[in-house]
Amino acid sequence: MLNTFKRFLRHLFTERPLRHHWLTLALYAALTAVSLDNLVLHFATAIPESWDYAIYYWNLWWVKYALFTLHRDPMFTNYVLYPNTINLSLHTLNLALGLLTLPLQYILDLKLIFNGMLVGSFIATGYFTFLFLRRHVQSDWLATLGGVLFAFTPIALTRAGSGHLHLLQAWLIPLQLILWENLIAPDRLGRRIFKAAGFGLIVYMAWMTGFEISLWTLVLLAPYGLYTWLAQCEGRERLRVIGLALVAGLCVLGPALIEPIPALVQTRGMVFPLVDRHTLEFQSFQAIWLVIRDPDWLGFTIGQLIPLLTLFGVIVARKRRVRWLWFAVGLGSLIIALGPYWPGTDIPLPYQLVHKLLGSQYRTPVRFMTPAAFALIVFITLSLGDWFERKNRRQLTPWLTGAAIVVLVFDSGMLAPFSVIYMPDYAIYHEIALDADEYALLEVPVGPASGFGEFGTAPDLQYYSHIHHKRILNGIVSRVPSDYMSKYERSPLLRGLTGLYNMPAFDVAARELADKLNRWDMRYVLVHRDRLEKARAPAIIAFLNVQPVLCLVDAEGDLLAYRRINTWADCPRPEMSALPSGASRLTLGQPGDERYVGPGWYDVENIGGPQGRWAGGMLTSTVRLLLPKQNLRVSFDALAYPPSQSVTVRVNGQPVAHFDLTEAWQVYPFDLPAGALPDAGPTLIELVHARLLSASERTNGQSPDQRPLAAAYSWFEFTLR
């Protein structure tokens, strides 16, 4: 047995054909590791930096969760952009990728699966392109070069940086071409029918991976399939191929009648946003990029090496029809990628016809550079193959191929560091996942978005869905009807919670929050402070801190998590609203103080020595915390800003003390009887000031500080009497 295994290894790694396969795969893997360096080095923790990655994490998770937990059709969901129910047939759902990764999702973290698919797509794209090209040239070197050229274009690297899993599965293009060539090759009828069925299923898989993959394959396969059918088939053989193509078509149509055709039918009558001219022109390829390297637009290009090699191929090419067919397909795809008008003019281009055929919904003409690149690479490979065959040039092939790959490394920008982020793993999301109930989360900043625009920020909080398994308002869906975003845009509360606009009046926001929490069954409000503008975050947190329908249940890093309650007895972690065990002082300016302050406070700063907070913006400043129901002595350290400032202290609406504040730091004590404290729940301490004054007003405009200030506070102390 040992000798057999040794012979197998010797055959695998020393036989020339197999050795070339392994070496080619190793080359593609090495180039992938160079291109995605930071992702590969931090494989279990890193995520591509652009927020589009969240869509594809959600897609993979949703297919599994819908089918095996909810037992629902994954083409419809209200687990993103809630409370809308979204038809995902026009969304980049990647159903095929979700189904393929199902077994792995039960045993591996989704980061490993996602990053594995990202890395694997480059290797697979290069390898299947290599397999297709080596059928047409007598040089594995040139086939290897073609695979490198197609897999590692600047466009592909940019798609990896955005986490666009569906666009990266370009290996399906050469695979479908290979299967088509196998289909028309002479063979026994039974085997050919089997091949036709396999071809049809792969075409369906490409469709369910991403619409663009199918579109690109159609652009390439339609002319090539017609050419090979006419050139290689005669008489009855042509009829046989037509019959086999029908078998393949049935194998596409059969599963398509399950998904996605029924869902697509239900989009009839829906009104979707149309792409405007500005967007189309911005997302179009510029012809000048074929000759000029623009670092700002490198990700929209195929680099300069492919155009140069194409020009060389035109010069040295022989008059083989198939080579010029690929050149024509590449040139035609490039013209479509130029967009609707010639730049700077109103001269119409062929993309306008494509745009109408796609219902004026397709907004990225530049993506046609992918089939353009593939077709031109086939043209280049065939041309170089003939050129190297002439006058004993074959021995130059390895050297010139290696040189071309080195040039491509610089041309494609492979050496640039791959940008990654590391999403925090918050414990509260795992706790929420343990609750089997179905309900929604309100994540702040609010940020629902579609491929045609966004409302707010942070749609990538959709990423956490694969951890908590709940419905969310945030997230990105490629296509949604025009009126779906209006549910958010009309809401004063949600506008304020985007962090882009001021919060509405306190009473208006409080009523709407209580209504939406109950009507939309949102049981948690989760605030990501690091994603909010520093100037707007305090107002949002202060508003949530004093809502009687919420209690704080977690404060982890930049995340504050609130739970919806009916009474204080429903709060699962009341200690989060109390001072830390053994502490009697609330120090304003120390980490964690933000959980206790309500409206009427500015952010922490140094105020004449001590760290503290200015009270202001309104006459009443609020502190909310859980206190024992006992007689207490309360002290606070404060200084007045307007001269002759006074403050009345109210506890749960009852006046308990009044002070005239001085313009120097001073401690002010008062007694708080147990009767003024609630039987259950936190205590609301309100500091009602007599007046406000800004530094600009006080100095007659010499200070730029326009904030209306009342007083500064450093700490509050609570001791038993």
Side-chain angles (χ1 to χ4, degrees):
M1 175 178 275
L2 183 60
N3 288 334
T4 302
F5 183 65
K6 287 181 178 178
R7 284 195 299 271
F8 170 74
L9 291 179
R10 189 180 304 115
H11 175 72
L12 195 62
F13 291 103
T14 61
E15 291 293 327
R16 184 174 179 272
L18 289 176
R19 186 174 72 245
H20 280 201
H21 284 270
W22 283 110
L23 291 175
T24 300
L25 284 169
L27 172 64
Y28 296 148
L31 291 175
T32 301
V34 170
S35 303
L36 311 182
D37 50 1
N38 290 323
L39 190 76
V40 173
L41 290 172
H42 306 280
F43 200 74
T45 55
I47 291 171
E49 185 175 28
S50 174
W51 68 15
D52 279 359
Y53 71 86
I55 302 174
Y56 306 98
Y57 270 88
W58 187 89
N59 288 344
L60 296 176
W61 163 78
W62 171 247
V63 171
K64 168 182 171 287
Y65 192 74
L67 289 173
F68 290 93
T69 301
L70 301 178
H71 309 293
R72 299 178 187 174
D73 183 351
M75 281 293 171
F76 299 89
T77 186
N78 62 355
Y79 273 68
V80 65
L81 272 62
Y82 185 77
N84 297 295
T85 295
I86 310 293
N87 185 325
L88 297 176
S89 60
L90 299 177
H91 171 61
T92 54
L93 180 59
N94 318 135
L95 180 63
L97 300 182
L99 293 174
L100 287 173
T101 60
L102 268 174
L104 295 176
Q105 290 191 47
Y106 284 100
I107 57 176
L108 295 177
D109 183 84
L110 202 56
K111 283 194 192 74
L112 294 173
I113 297 171
F114 181 90
N115 291 341
M117 296 182 70
L118 209 64
V119 169
S121 66
F122 281 89
I123 300 172
T125 297
Y127 183 64
F128 279 106
T129 304
F130 162 80
L131 292 180
F132 175 73
L133 293 175
R134 76 193 301 267
R135 290 171 167 231
H136 301 277
V137 292
Q138 303 302 312
S139 169
D140 284 354
W141 290 103
L142 290 177
T144 300
L145 173 62
V148 173
L149 287 172
F150 186 52
F152 297 96
T153 60
I155 288 179
L157 298 178
T158 298
R159 288 169 184 158
S162 298
H164 288 168
L165 279 187
H166 66 306
L167 298 176
L168 287 170
Q169 310 311 311
W171 55 272
L172 285 162
I173 296 174
L175 175 59
Q176 290 173 87
L177 293 171
I178 291 170
L179 293 176
W180 168 256
E181 291 181 340
N182 289 343
L183 177 64
I184 65 173
D187 203 345
R188 295 196 304 272
L189 181 60
R191 288 171 59 88
R192 297 182 79 177
I193 292 175
F194 181 78
K195 290 177 182 178
F199 175 60
L201 292 175
I202 292 297
V203 170
Y204 174 73
M205 176 184 170
W207 182 8
M208 291 295 96
T209 296
F211 167 75
E212 277 93 347
I213 298 292
S214 298
L215 183 63
W216 298 340
T217 304
L218 179 64
V219 169
L220 297 166
L221 184 58
Y224 183 64
L226 179 61
Y227 171 83
T228 51
W229 179 67
L230 293 173
Q232 300 181 25
C233 305
E234 296 180 355
R236 292 183 179 179
E237 182 61 19
R238 289 185 178 178
L239 295 177
R240 291 193 190 97
V241 171
I242 291 174
L244 293 169
L246 290 174
V247 171
L250 290 174
C251 290
V252 175
L253 182 61
L257 289 172
I258 302 173
E259 300 285 12
I261 290 177
L264 283 169
V265 169
Q266 294 190 38
T267 64
R268 295 182 62 184
M270 294 182 179
V271 178
F272 292 89
L274 300 180
V275 186
D276 58 75
R277 176 172 174 172
H278 173 75
T279 301
L280 284 176
E281 291 179 343
F282 178 79
Q283 296 281 354
S284 296
F285 184 79
Q286 304 297 315
I288 193 66
W289 292 337
L290 294 172
V291 294
I292 293 179
R293 180 184 177 86
D294 188 339
D296 294 333
W297 295 95
L298 185 61
F300 270 45
T301 74
I302 56 173
Q304 276 69 60
L305 183 59
I306 292 176
L308 284 173
L309 291 176
T310 300
L311 180 61
F312 181 76
V314 170
I315 295 171
V316 305
R318 294 178 181 176
K319 295 182 179 179
R320 276 210 298 169
R321 285 178 296 177
V322 66
R323 182 180 300 121
W324 292 109
L325 170 71
W326 286 113
F327 178 79
V329 172
L331 184 61
S333 299
L334 191 155
I335 292 172
I336 293 174
L338 294 175
Y341 299 96
W342 188 258
T345 73
D346 290 325
I347 300 173
L349 293 176
Y351 181 78
Q352 289 203 20
L353 177 60
V354 176
H355 190 55
K356 291 179 180 177
L357 290 174
L358 297 177
S360 301
Q361 288 287 299
Y362 196 73
R363 59 190 179 90
T364 49
V366 70
R367 289 181 180 174
F368 278 89
M369 287 307 295
T370 295
F374 184 86
L376 293 177
I377 288 166
V378 177
F379 171 76
I380 290 166
T381 307
L382 295 175
S383 300
L384 292 179
D386 283 348
W387 187 78
F388 279 119
E389 287 294 326
R390 297 181 220 166
K391 298 180 181 179
N392 298 319
R393 295 171 179 156
R394 186 176 298 181
Q395 65 271 19
L396 298 175
T397 308
W399 300 101
L400 293 180
T401 298
I405 291 174
V406 170
V407 171
L408 182 69
V409 168
F410 294 94
D411 185 46
S412 290
M414 291 189 210
L415 298 180
F418 188 78
S419 297
V420 296
I421 58 173
Y422 306 92
M423 290 293 281
D425 188 17
Y426 296 114
I428 187 64
Y429 283 123
H430 295 276
E431 292 179 22
I432 292 171
L434 297 176
D435 187 347
D437 287 354
E438 292 184 44
Y439 51 83
L441 309 178
L442 175 58
E443 294 180 288
V444 179
V446 170
S450 76
F452 286 80
E454 62 191 56
F455 173 75
T457 59
D460 63 318
L461 292 177
Q462 181 179 9
Y463 161 83
Y464 288 108
S465 289
H466 83 275
I467 299 174
H468 59 65
H469 307 162
K470 305 304 179 193
R471 303 184 183 105
I472 57 173
L473 276 64
N474 287 19
I476 315 174
V477 177
S478 301
R479 300 290 185 278
V480 297
S482 302
D483 61 338
Y484 275 30
M485 302 298 282
S486 62
K487 286 184 174 67
Y488 317 113
E489 294 166 351
R490 291 195 302 262
S491 164
L493 171 69
L494 297 183
R495 286 175 64 84
L497 294 181
T498 63
L500 301 177
Y501 310 93
N502 291 330
M503 288 291 292
F506 190 91
D507 56 339
V508 172
R511 284 195 301 270
E512 186 180 352
L513 178 66
D515 173 66
K516 278 188 165 52
L517 288 177
N518 283 283
R519 188 157 47 88
W520 291 0
D521 194 15
M522 296 187 291
R523 302 188 192 177
Y524 286 87
V525 181
L526 301 123
V527 183
H528 295 260
R529 291 175 288 176
D530 57 324
R531 292 166 176 263
L532 291 166
E533 291 183 19
K534 189 174 181 180
R536 296 189 186 276
I540 292 174
I541 296 169
F543 165 73
L544 296 173
N545 278 344
V546 296
Q547 296 307 305
V549 294
L550 295 175
C551 78
L552 187 70
V553 294
D554 193 24
E556 184 180 357
D558 286 306
L559 180 68
L560 292 179
Y562 300 85
R563 181 72 159 85
R564 188 189 78 196
I565 57 174
N566 294 315
T567 66
W568 187 252
D570 298 332
C571 186
R573 296 186 65 188
E575 69 276 7
M576 291 298 298
S577 297
L579 291 174
S581 179
S584 61
R585 177 176 289 191
L586 168 59
T587 303
L588 301 182
Q590 286 190 345
D593 78 325
E594 64 279 345
R595 75 176 72 170
Y596 305 107
V597 298
W601 297 96
Y602 292 107
D603 207 356
V604 175
E605 60 184 282
N606 185 290
I607 305 173
Q611 288 285 101
R613 290 177 181 264
W614 283 108
M618 59 182 66
L619 291 174
T620 301
S621 301
T622 305
V623 175
R624 181 179 186 251
L625 74 167
L626 196 63
L627 295 173
K629 190 174 175 59
Q630 299 182 44
N631 294 326
L632 300 173
R633 168 59 60 92
V634 181
S635 303
F636 60 85
D637 191 22
L639 67 81
Y641 186 71
S644 305
Q645 178 69 282
S646 65
V647 61
T648 299
V649 182
R650 295 192 310 201
V651 175
N652 295 324
Q654 300 179 32
V656 296
H658 180 85
F659 300 98
D660 293 321
L661 303 180
T662 67
E663 294 183 71
W665 286 105
Q666 184 173 319
V667 176
Y668 300 87
F670 65 94
D671 291 332
L672 181 58
L677 300 174
D679 294 330
T683 296
L684 205 65
I685 301 175
E686 296 173 295
L687 305 167
V688 185
H689 303 93
R691 63 197 187 98
L692 302 172
L693 185 69
S694 72
S696 178
E697 292 171 323
R698 189 170 184 178
T699 61
N700 295 318
Q702 294 182 25
S703 171
D705 192 345
Q706 300 284 342
R707 296 178 301 171
L709 305 176
Y713 294 82
S714 178
W715 49 260
F716 292 81
E717 192 168 63
F718 307 88
T719 56
L720 295 178
R721 246 188 329 122

